Amino acid sequence: MKYPCAKLLVLLAFIAIACDINEAAAFPIPWGCSNYSGVCRAVCLPVELPFGPFGCAKGFVCCVAHVM
């Protein structure tokens, strides 16, 4: 352990940055649910396919109409 103070400082800086950045800002997604003609819902309808949280608020999923 050559640099215990430097390691501690890096760890504290990492924690401070991780706590300051939310998920949307950390990983910006260039597309959203509307790009897939979807709707953000808490639970998808039986005729819709869950596509993921793209562009939706926390706890919501992008639901895309199933086309046959």
Side-chain angles (χ1 to χ4, degrees):
M1 215 189 244
K2 289 185 177 184
Y3 303 103
C5 292
K7 290 180 182 180
L8 181 62
L9 182 63
V10 170
L11 178 65
L12 290 175
F14 178 74
I15 291 172
I17 290 171
C19 291
D20 191 36
I21 298 175
N22 62 23
E23 289 179 19
F27 303 103
I29 299 174
W31 60 86
C33 190
S34 61
N35 292 64
Y36 300 104
S37 301
V39 179
C40 293
R41 300 183 197 272
V43 178
C44 293
L45 299 174
V47 295
E48 296 175 329
L49 297 173
F51 197 65
F54 302 115
C56 297
K58 188 174 183 177
F60 288 88
V61 66
C62 181
C63 300
V64 180
H66 179 65
V67 180
M68 293 181 120

XYZ file of all heavy atoms in Angstrom:
500
model
N 0.844 -1.173 0.000
C 0.000 0.000 0.000
C 0.892 1.239 0.000
O 1.282 1.729 1.043
C -0.892 -0.028 1.235
C -2.247 0.536 0.983
S -3.126 0.699 2.528
C -4.432 -0.424 2.248
N 1.231 1.714 -1.169
C 2.156 2.827 -1.266
C 1.494 4.179 -1.022
O 2.078 5.044 -0.392
C 2.819 2.835 -2.636
C 3.799 1.718 -2.847
C 4.489 1.874 -4.172
C 5.530 0.799 -4.357
N 6.285 0.975 -5.586
N 0.286 4.372 -1.559
C -0.366 5.678 -1.484
C -1.764 5.563 -0.872
O -2.761 5.716 -1.562
C -0.471 6.282 -2.883
C 0.848 6.413 -3.587
C 1.207 5.516 -4.578
C 1.723 7.427 -3.248
C 2.417 5.633 -5.235
C 2.938 7.552 -3.893
C 3.281 6.649 -4.888
O 4.482 6.769 -5.536
N -1.869 5.321 0.411
C -3.200 5.138 1.017
C -4.043 6.410 0.963
O -5.256 6.336 0.762
C -2.902 4.721 2.456
C -1.498 5.169 2.710
C -0.808 5.161 1.395
N -3.434 7.563 1.101
C -4.203 8.813 1.053
C -4.727 9.080 -0.354
O -5.861 9.533 -0.525
C -3.348 9.991 1.524
S -2.943 9.919 3.276
N -3.928 8.789 -1.357
C -4.350 8.992 -2.742
C -5.481 8.038 -3.099
O -6.442 8.429 -3.769
C -3.171 8.796 -3.680
N -5.390 6.793 -2.641
C -6.456 5.827 -2.899
C -7.751 6.256 -2.233
O -8.833 6.149 -2.813
C -6.040 4.444 -2.412
C -4.961 3.811 -3.239
C -4.591 2.455 -2.698
C -3.463 1.834 -3.488
N -3.096 0.505 -2.977
N -7.663 6.757 -1.024
C -8.838 7.231 -0.312
C -9.450 8.439 -1.010
O -10.672 8.534 -1.151
C -8.476 7.576 1.131
C -9.621 8.061 2.014
C -10.690 6.978 2.143
C -9.102 8.472 3.374
N -8.614 9.343 -1.480
C -9.094 10.525 -2.187
C -9.803 10.148 -3.486
O -10.873 10.680 -3.802
C -7.927 11.466 -2.480
C -8.282 12.772 -3.175
C -9.199 13.604 -2.300
C -7.029 13.546 -3.515
N -9.244 9.211 -4.230
C -9.876 8.746 -5.471
C -11.211 8.070 -5.166
O -12.205 8.289 -5.864
C -8.930 7.792 -6.228
C -9.649 7.106 -7.377
C -7.723 8.558 -6.743
N -11.262 7.265 -4.130
C -12.501 6.600 -3.739
C -13.568 7.621 -3.359
O -14.721 7.507 -3.790
C -12.242 5.634 -2.587
C -13.467 4.909 -2.047
C -14.049 3.993 -3.111
C -13.106 4.134 -0.798
N -13.214 8.612 -2.585
C -14.177 9.637 -2.183
C -14.650 10.467 -3.386
O -15.831 10.819 -3.475
C -13.567 10.541 -1.117
C -13.352 9.895 0.252
C -12.633 10.865 1.188
C -14.665 9.453 0.852
N -13.741 10.766 -4.301
C -14.130 11.508 -5.508
C -15.092 10.688 -6.354
O -16.092 11.211 -6.870
C -12.893 11.880 -6.309
N -14.834 9.403 -6.497
C -15.715 8.522 -7.262
C -17.109 8.464 -6.636
O -18.119 8.541 -7.336
C -15.115 7.125 -7.345
C -15.989 6.152 -8.079
C -16.111 6.210 -9.458
C -16.693 5.193 -7.384
C -16.932 5.320 -10.130
C -17.512 4.296 -8.039
C -17.624 4.362 -9.421
N -17.180 8.334 -5.326
C -18.469 8.292 -4.635
C -19.216 9.609 -4.800
O -20.427 9.625 -5.039
C -18.268 7.942 -3.148
C -17.793 6.494 -3.015
C -19.553 8.159 -2.354
C -17.380 6.103 -1.626
N -18.504 10.730 -4.707
C -19.142 12.038 -4.869
C -19.705 12.207 -6.272
O -20.821 12.700 -6.458
C -18.142 13.146 -4.564
N -18.965 11.767 -7.269
C -19.440 11.879 -8.651
C -20.616 10.942 -8.890
O -21.604 11.311 -9.515
C -18.288 11.588 -9.633
C -17.270 12.718 -9.579
C -18.811 11.421 -11.057
C -15.993 12.432 -10.332
N -20.533 9.721 -8.379
C -21.609 8.746 -8.569
C -22.903 9.195 -7.905
O -23.988 8.957 -8.428
C -21.179 7.390 -8.033
N -22.808 9.855 -6.773
C -24.010 10.324 -6.081
C -24.603 11.556 -6.748
O -25.793 11.807 -6.638
C -23.684 10.646 -4.626
S -23.297 9.199 -3.644
N -23.791 12.308 -7.464
C -24.240 13.556 -8.065
C -24.907 13.344 -9.415
O -25.728 14.140 -9.833
C -23.054 14.506 -8.216
C -23.487 15.913 -8.584
O -24.545 16.339 -8.099
O -22.762 16.554 -9.364
N -24.581 12.279 -10.117
C -25.088 12.056 -11.463
C -26.238 11.060 -11.417
O -26.122 9.998 -10.839
C -23.967 11.511 -12.377
C -22.850 12.523 -12.492
C -24.522 11.178 -13.757
C -21.665 12.015 -13.276
N -27.356 11.414 -12.058
C -28.446 10.448 -12.130
C -28.264 9.572 -13.365
O -27.427 9.822 -14.208
C -29.810 11.145 -12.131
C -29.993 12.052 -13.328
O -29.356 11.883 -14.356
N -30.871 13.019 -13.198
N -29.091 8.535 -13.508
C -28.905 7.568 -14.583
C -29.091 8.189 -15.962
O -28.377 7.868 -16.897
C -29.892 6.414 -14.413
C -29.570 5.519 -13.257
C -30.581 4.408 -13.108
O -31.291 4.126 -14.079
O -30.644 3.833 -12.030
N -30.059 9.065 -16.110
C -30.328 9.651 -17.422
C -29.170 10.523 -17.887
O -28.831 10.535 -19.066
C -31.608 10.466 -17.366
N -28.555 11.258 -16.982
C -27.439 12.116 -17.363
C -26.168 11.308 -17.586
O -25.328 11.671 -18.400
C -27.208 13.173 -16.302
N -26.023 10.210 -16.873
C -24.811 9.414 -16.999
C -24.768 8.664 -18.330
O -23.716 8.511 -18.928
C -24.720 8.428 -15.849
N -25.911 8.198 -18.784
C -25.979 7.440 -20.024
C -27.058 8.026 -20.926
O -28.166 7.497 -20.988
C -26.281 5.971 -19.728
C -25.277 5.335 -18.815
C -25.567 5.112 -17.487
C -24.032 4.978 -19.300
C -24.633 4.536 -16.646
C -23.092 4.401 -18.463
C -23.389 4.177 -17.141
N -26.754 9.111 -21.624
C -27.775 9.713 -22.488
C -28.121 8.793 -23.654
O -27.240 8.259 -24.326
C -27.117 11.002 -22.979
C -25.666 10.752 -22.858
C -25.494 9.821 -21.690
N -29.387 8.575 -23.864
C -29.858 7.718 -24.947
C -30.407 8.628 -26.042
O -31.291 9.439 -25.780
C -30.949 6.748 -24.441
C -30.375 5.850 -23.350
C -31.505 5.923 -25.592
C -31.385 4.964 -22.680
N -29.898 8.519 -27.257
C -30.313 9.435 -28.319
C -31.694 9.139 -28.893
O -32.134 9.816 -29.795
C -29.220 9.233 -29.377
C -28.740 7.856 -29.161
C -28.855 7.610 -27.676
N -32.358 8.134 -28.416
C -33.683 7.823 -28.905
C -34.628 7.679 -27.722
O -34.211 7.507 -26.594
C -33.668 6.548 -29.744
C -33.204 5.349 -28.985
C -33.969 4.534 -28.219
C -31.867 4.840 -28.896
N -33.206 3.544 -27.655
C -31.919 3.706 -28.059
C -30.652 5.220 -29.441
C -30.785 2.959 -27.754
C -29.534 4.461 -29.129
C -29.603 3.350 -28.311
N -35.915 7.727 -28.007
C -36.896 7.604 -26.942
C -38.033 6.700 -27.361
O -38.046 6.143 -28.458
N -38.989 6.591 -26.504
C -40.133 5.723 -26.745
C -40.935 6.201 -27.960
O -41.438 5.393 -28.735
C -41.012 5.704 -25.491
S -42.317 4.463 -25.536
N -41.029 7.503 -28.152
C -41.808 8.027 -29.274
C -41.170 7.683 -30.624
O -41.865 7.610 -31.637
C -41.970 9.537 -29.140
O -40.708 10.162 -29.153
N -39.875 7.445 -30.647
C -39.210 7.043 -31.895
C -39.684 5.666 -32.361
O -39.565 5.338 -33.527
C -37.692 7.006 -31.728
C -37.119 8.384 -31.537
O -37.413 9.051 -30.549
N -36.303 8.821 -32.456
N -40.190 4.871 -31.451
C -40.685 3.537 -31.775
C -42.207 3.496 -31.812
O -42.800 2.421 -31.790
C -40.171 2.525 -30.750
C -38.674 2.456 -30.710
C -37.956 3.044 -29.683
C -37.972 1.818 -31.724
C -36.578 2.991 -29.661
C -36.594 1.763 -31.706
C -35.892 2.352 -30.669
O -34.528 2.300 -30.640
N -42.847 4.657 -31.851
C -44.315 4.769 -31.823
C -44.875 4.069 -30.590
O -45.895 3.383 -30.656
C -44.939 4.190 -33.095
O -44.452 4.869 -34.218
N -44.197 4.247 -29.487
C -44.620 3.622 -28.246
C -45.200 4.618 -27.261
O -45.207 5.826 -27.495
N -45.691 4.087 -26.152
C -46.294 4.878 -25.086
C -45.689 4.413 -23.767
O -45.537 3.214 -23.538
C -47.831 4.672 -25.052
C -48.466 5.465 -23.932
C -48.457 5.036 -26.385
N -45.346 5.354 -22.898
C -44.813 5.003 -21.584
C -45.952 4.634 -20.651
O -46.897 5.404 -20.471
C -44.024 6.181 -21.008
S -42.520 6.549 -21.910
N -45.878 3.451 -20.094
C -46.887 2.972 -19.144
C -46.187 2.232 -18.007
O -45.073 1.755 -18.163
C -47.838 1.984 -19.819
C -48.606 2.500 -20.992
C -49.560 1.401 -21.474
N -50.063 1.626 -22.804
C -51.149 2.334 -23.078
N -51.820 2.885 -22.113
N -51.556 2.488 -24.323
N -46.900 2.122 -16.896
C -46.370 1.343 -15.776
C -46.393 -0.144 -16.124
O -45.467 -0.883 -15.821
C -47.175 1.609 -14.516
N -47.469 -0.586 -16.783
C -47.623 -1.975 -17.222
C -48.195 -1.949 -18.631
O -49.160 -1.231 -18.892
C -48.573 -2.756 -16.284
C -48.766 -4.178 -16.771
C -48.049 -2.758 -14.858
N -47.626 -2.732 -19.524
C -48.109 -2.763 -20.903
C -49.433 -3.520 -20.992
O -49.698 -4.444 -20.214
C -47.087 -3.440 -21.808
S -45.560 -2.508 -21.997
N -50.237 -3.129 -21.962
C -51.486 -3.834 -22.247
C -51.159 -5.189 -22.869
O -50.058 -5.385 -23.401
C -52.345 -3.006 -23.200
C -52.780 -1.627 -22.682
C -53.493 -0.863 -23.791
C -53.652 -1.753 -21.460
N -52.106 -6.131 -22.848
C -51.827 -7.462 -23.408
C -51.486 -7.441 -24.906
O -50.803 -8.332 -25.392
C -53.119 -8.236 -23.175
C -53.779 -7.539 -22.040
C -53.385 -6.101 -22.154
N -51.949 -6.429 -25.634
C -51.678 -6.357 -27.073
C -50.404 -5.574 -27.384
O -50.082 -5.353 -28.544
C -52.868 -5.737 -27.833
C -54.083 -6.633 -27.722
C -53.153 -4.344 -27.332
N -49.673 -5.151 -26.357
C -48.444 -4.376 -26.538
C -47.237 -5.179 -26.093
O -47.338 -6.070 -25.247
C -48.510 -3.075 -25.731
C -49.585 -2.131 -26.188
C -49.695 -0.924 -25.285
O -49.419 -1.038 -24.082
O -50.077 0.129 -25.804
N -46.101 -4.838 -26.663
C -44.845 -5.483 -26.289
C -44.018 -4.521 -25.446
O -43.840 -3.362 -25.834
C -44.052 -5.860 -27.537
C -44.696 -6.879 -28.463
C -43.879 -7.012 -29.735
C -44.796 -8.220 -27.771
N -43.496 -4.946 -24.300
C -42.608 -4.081 -23.516
C -41.264 -3.953 -24.220
O -40.656 -4.953 -24.600
C -42.476 -4.814 -22.184
C -42.814 -6.233 -22.497
C -43.744 -6.221 -23.659
N -40.823 -2.729 -24.441
C -39.606 -2.502 -25.208
C -38.460 -2.008 -24.338
O -37.359 -1.859 -24.814
C -39.895 -1.510 -26.331
C -38.859 -1.503 -27.404
C -38.651 -2.616 -28.198
C -38.072 -0.396 -27.609
C -37.689 -2.627 -29.183
C -37.099 -0.392 -28.599
C -36.915 -1.503 -29.390
N -38.701 -1.715 -23.088
C -37.648 -1.220 -22.209
C -37.940 0.187 -21.743
O -38.923 0.801 -22.149
N -37.097 0.747 -20.899
C -37.361 2.066 -20.309
C -36.890 3.242 -21.168
O -36.666 4.316 -20.658
C -36.567 2.006 -19.006
C -35.406 1.140 -19.353
C -35.943 0.096 -20.297
N -36.731 3.066 -22.472
C -36.185 4.102 -23.338
C -37.014 5.375 -23.304
O -38.127 5.406 -23.814
C -36.084 3.616 -24.784
C -35.246 2.392 -24.939
C -35.795 1.202 -25.353
C -33.906 2.423 -24.646
C -35.028 0.072 -25.485
C -33.119 1.300 -24.774
C -33.685 0.121 -25.192
N -36.483 6.429 -22.707
C -37.145 7.727 -22.684
C -38.300 7.830 -21.714
O -38.989 8.839 -21.683
N -38.547 6.814 -20.923
C -39.651 6.840 -19.958
C -39.115 7.170 -18.564
O -37.939 6.967 -18.271
C -40.357 5.489 -19.920
S -41.143 5.034 -21.478
N -40.009 7.674 -17.727
C -39.636 7.996 -16.352
C -39.362 6.706 -15.578
O -39.708 5.604 -16.021
C -40.757 8.785 -15.686
N -38.758 6.853 -14.418
C -38.426 5.697 -13.584
C -39.704 4.959 -13.193
O -40.678 5.573 -12.762
C -37.677 6.154 -12.346
C -37.123 5.025 -11.531
C -36.267 5.528 -10.402
C -35.670 4.372 -9.642
N -34.779 4.840 -8.583
N -39.712 3.667 -13.349
C -40.873 2.851 -13.013
C -41.815 2.639 -14.184
O -42.813 1.943 -14.056
N -41.517 3.234 -15.347
C -42.357 3.081 -16.522
C -41.568 2.363 -17.606
O -40.349 2.375 -17.629
C -42.832 4.440 -17.044
C -43.855 5.080 -16.155
C -43.465 5.882 -15.099
C -45.196 4.872 -16.365
C -44.392 6.474 -14.271
C -46.140 5.458 -15.548
C -45.738 6.259 -14.491
N -42.299 1.736 -18.513
C -41.680 0.993 -19.605
C -42.326 1.449 -20.912
O -43.480 1.849 -20.936
C -41.845 -0.527 -19.376
C -43.287 -0.960 -19.441
C -41.029 -1.316 -20.357
N -41.560 1.399 -21.992
C -42.056 1.770 -23.312
C -42.849 0.591 -23.870
O -42.312 -0.489 -24.054
C -40.892 2.140 -24.238
S -41.411 2.644 -25.869
N -44.111 0.817 -24.151
C -44.982 -0.225 -24.686
C -45.256 0.069 -26.152
O -45.743 1.139 -26.501
C -46.302 -0.267 -23.922
S -46.081 -0.605 -22.156
N -44.930 -0.886 -27.008
C -45.091 -0.725 -28.450
C -46.186 -1.690 -28.912
O -46.194 -2.857 -28.547
C -43.762 -1.027 -29.178
C -43.927 -0.870 -30.685
C -42.667 -0.115 -28.658
N -47.104 -1.161 -29.736
C -48.206 -1.977 -30.246
C -47.657 -3.119 -31.086
O -46.764 -2.921 -31.908
C -49.167 -1.132 -31.052
N -48.159 -4.303 -30.861
C -47.738 -5.494 -31.599
C -48.419 -5.488 -32.965
O -49.629 -5.494 -33.072
C -48.106 -6.754 -30.813
C -47.730 -8.019 -31.504
N -46.422 -8.360 -31.740
C -48.468 -9.017 -32.016
C -46.381 -9.531 -32.354
N -47.611 -9.949 -32.533
N -47.617 -5.468 -34.021
C -48.154 -5.440 -35.389
C -47.932 -6.807 -36.027
O -46.821 -7.329 -36.023
C -47.452 -4.359 -36.232
C -48.008 -4.350 -37.639
C -47.584 -3.012 -35.567
N -48.995 -7.383 -36.567
C -48.872 -8.701 -37.202
C -48.881 -8.560 -38.701
O -49.420 -7.794 -39.312
C -49.995 -9.615 -36.764
C -49.909 -9.964 -35.296
S -51.233 -11.065 -34.837
C -50.283 -12.409 -34.276
